[in-house]
Amino acid sequence: IAAFSSHPDELQVAPDRLVLPSGALTEVQLAFRPLVPGRLDTMVHLVDLERRELVHSRLVSTDARAPTVSKTFEVDLCLGLRAHKKITYTNPYPRARAFYLRCTHPLLLHFRPDRLDLPANGSRPMGLTFEPAEAWAAVTRGGGGAAEVLVFINDEEDATEECFRIRVIAANSHSA
């Protein structure tokens, strides 16, 4: 049996493959990682892959609030050129910690690295690569406008430690 989510980028099901013994209770875990605030209805389907039939489905309704933003940045993008930026992050704890980076537009913004291993109170730059301005056209409603991307810095349990807002200015010419 395979588990599928209608919004796999925001609601993950684990395990994604399972056995359903007759008359027994089987537990699945759901991880909700919203990309935008608001209400989201997601279908979770359990499918028998051998028989190609739906075994069970559930509607999962969620509601996400906007995160608290600690810092705001701005980046200008040009047509045909990726932009590379760095933001330094400091571990606020008196012990070594690992932090994981996620964002609201993972196809348009990439991290180098996507995990920061920091010593106690240590700092390290996170590299950000933004796709060219034309790739942001759908987000900026046709290009030549501004978009917002949220960067989540999460701990080992995937809880958000800090959130940055980046205002992306997508130029519609090479002269930006």
Side-chain angles (χ1 to χ4, degrees):
I1 305 295
F4 298 96
S5 167
S6 62
H7 294 280
D9 51 341
E10 297 186 80
L11 185 75
Q12 294 84 37
V13 182
D16 62 348
R17 298 287 190 270
L18 54 136
V19 176
L20 298 177
S22 179
L25 181 65
T26 301
E27 196 173 291
V28 296
Q29 295 181 353
L30 302 177
F32 179 53
R33 294 184 187 115
L35 295 177
V36 294
R39 184 174 166 77
L40 177 68
D41 289 332
T42 304
M43 291 301 302
V44 175
H45 297 290
L46 300 181
V47 178
D48 184 328
L49 295 177
E50 290 177 9
R51 294 187 184 144
R52 294 183 178 260
E53 52 184 49
L54 181 65
V55 174
H56 190 78
S57 65
R58 288 286 171 160
L59 176 65
V60 179
S61 295
T62 57
D63 194 7
R65 291 180 304 221
T68 301
V69 174
S70 60
K71 295 178 184 172
T72 302
F73 303 92
E74 191 169 291
V75 62
D76 292 313
L77 302 179
C78 295
L79 291 172
L81 299 172
R82 285 191 172 105
H84 303 282
K85 303 294 179 187
K86 288 186 180 181
I87 298 174
T88 298
Y89 184 71
T90 301
N91 176 3
Y93 298 100
R95 63 178 180 84
R97 298 278 300 263
F99 299 93
Y100 298 87
L101 307 176
R102 292 191 321 107
C103 72
T104 52
H105 295 293
L107 298 177
L108 300 173
L109 171 60
H110 314 283
F111 299 107
R112 309 173 318 276
D114 59 2
R115 172 185 162 144
L116 298 175
D117 291 302
L118 297 175
N121 304 109
S123 296
R124 179 175 179 190
M126 63 176 98
L128 294 88
T129 299
F130 296 84
E131 290 298 316
E134 60 272 17
W136 289 79
V139 180
T140 61
R141 306 238 189 312
E148 178 179 286
V149 60
L150 297 177
V151 173
F152 300 98
I153 302 168
N154 294 356
D155 65 13
E156 294 95 340
E157 284 80 44
D158 206 30
T160 301
E161 290 278 333
E162 199 163 353
C163 178
F164 298 159
R165 174 182 291 125
I166 302 175
R167 182 174 152 83
V168 178
I169 310 297
N172 53 16
S173 72
H174 287 287
S175 61

